[in-house]
Amino acid sequence: MRKQLKEAKRIVIKVGTSTLIYPNGNINLSAIDQLAFTLSDLRNQDKEIILVSSGAIGVGLNKLNMDKRPPTIPEQQAVAAVGQAELMNIYNQRFLTYNQQIAQLLLTRDVIEYPESRKNVTNTIEQLLKMGIIPVINENDTVAIDELDHLTKFGDNDQLSAIVTQLIQADALIMLSDIDGFFSDNPNTNKDATLFSEINEINDELLQLAGGKGSRFGTGGMYSKLKAAERVLAHNGAMILANGQQPKIIFDILNGEMIGTLFI
């Protein structure tokens, strides 16, 4: 099954905040540079690359010298607005080092729900790919909140990356996280936890392992990744969950090496 990843032409890469920001809150410039190098080189191989990137609030906190996320939604949105500009500034600088043009798309859920706006988003991404440009997609944190019956929020960028994968019929979604894949238990607390190399169906048993709301992984992040994988599998796609500490791992994944968990 992994061999077919070598043939993947259109690939969505999702990076979480843990790849972009050190635990101390500073920006991981090494990882960002490695990501820019890797994705630019994949473009040189004629692959079509879409980057779904978290990190706006993390970068904003760093830029504003704030050591923790503020409590109110307007404050968080302000931090995200500052952080998104700074994040794109860093991405632009690093990608241009490798002569790779990027573009920014900020999406909200309602854009995807309405046929006309969904078509516009799809057309924009398709045109950027045709021009050899890497779209950098994030949720529009400054307006994306659940308010009354106007649902604007994706929930998280795991879901957003799965929706983008579906929208543009990508061959694979590579989700880079702070864990090596999907385990039978939390590997941080249980040394006997085993890594699932391949998963073909998302069932209740797996969702229980991920923990749902009271997650055994602490944050509920694994549950969200399984739900994203469920969406990808429902459309006959492939998703790989792997550790994003060294983004050049993407080369090995696309070479068919046994890394992370393959959902297919």
Side-chain angles (χ1 to χ4, degrees):
M1 288 289 198
R2 300 225 176 208
K3 293 277 190 288
Q4 73 185 64
L5 291 172
K6 292 183 179 182
E7 309 303 319
K9 178 170 171 58
R10 178 171 287 191
I11 304 152
V12 177
I13 311 286
K14 188 263 173 178
V15 291
T17 303
S18 61
T19 297
L20 306 174
I21 307 286
Y22 286 116
N24 64 7
N26 289 329
I27 297 166
N28 189 338
L29 295 173
S30 171
I32 292 175
D33 185 66
Q34 204 179 105
L35 183 68
F37 168 81
T38 303
L39 302 193
S40 299
D41 194 66
L42 290 175
R43 269 295 312 129
N44 289 346
Q45 297 172 37
D46 281 332
K47 294 188 185 292
E48 297 176 330
I49 302 297
I50 302 94
L51 174 61
V52 176
S53 175
S54 301
I57 287 183
V59 172
L61 291 172
N62 179 265
K63 181 77 174 172
L64 296 169
N65 295 315
M66 297 169 73
D67 57 3
K68 63 175 185 284
R69 190 185 281 238
T72 71
I73 283 178
E75 285 175 301
Q76 289 176 26
Q77 290 171 318
V79 170
V82 170
Q84 188 62 38
E86 181 67 8
L87 181 60
M88 285 307 296
N89 190 27
I90 296 167
Y91 273 143
N92 255 317
Q93 182 195 54
R94 298 325 299 153
F95 274 96
L96 287 176
T97 304
Y98 305 108
N99 297 312
Q100 176 59 52
Q101 183 63 54
I102 62 171
Q104 174 180 257
L105 282 86
L106 294 176
L107 302 181
T108 48
R109 184 75 186 232
D110 52 347
V111 169
I112 304 299
E113 298 297 334
Y114 294 106
E116 190 63 30
S117 54
R118 181 171 66 234
K119 187 172 134 207
N120 290 336
V121 169
T122 308
N123 288 347
T124 301
I125 296 172
E126 291 286 356
Q127 184 60 42
L128 288 168
L129 294 176
K130 199 179 290 182
M131 295 166 70
I133 296 167
I134 295 178
V136 179
I137 301 175
N138 194 359
E139 182 160 14
N140 192 341
D141 289 325
T142 59
V143 298
I145 58 167
D146 293 348
E147 187 175 293
L148 303 178
D149 61 349
H150 187 62
L151 189 68
T152 61
K153 199 167 171 56
F154 289 102
D156 56 57
N157 275 347
D158 293 339
Q159 293 303 313
L160 174 57
S161 64
I163 289 167
V164 169
T165 301
Q166 173 194 339
L167 207 58
I168 59 165
Q169 299 177 306
D171 300 314
L173 164 60
I174 298 177
M175 193 176 286
L176 298 182
S177 181
D178 56 357
I179 197 164
D180 293 342
F182 185 72
F183 285 82
S184 59
D185 198 357
N186 184 348
N188 296 320
T189 56
N190 181 359
K191 61 179 175 53
D192 295 323
T194 54
L195 175 70
F196 288 86
S197 176
E198 188 176 309
I199 292 174
N200 307 118
E201 179 195 12
I202 307 300
N203 54 35
D204 289 342
E205 189 183 343
L206 286 176
L207 291 170
Q208 278 303 117
L209 277 179
K213 301 294 181 279
S215 177
R216 284 156 74 177
F217 289 93
T219 62
M222 263 311 135
Y223 185 83
S224 145
K225 285 165 179 52
L226 280 194
K227 294 304 283 183
E230 188 173 47
R231 180 182 284 272
V232 171
L233 290 180
H235 294 85
N236 297 316
M239 177 181 128
I240 301 92
L241 174 62
N243 197 313
Q245 198 171 14
Q246 301 288 334
K248 65 183 177 191
I249 200 175
I250 294 167
F251 288 133
D252 298 329
I253 291 168
L254 292 175
N255 206 31
E257 293 186 26
M258 298 292 285
I259 291 168
T261 302
L262 171 64
F263 298 85
I264 196 163

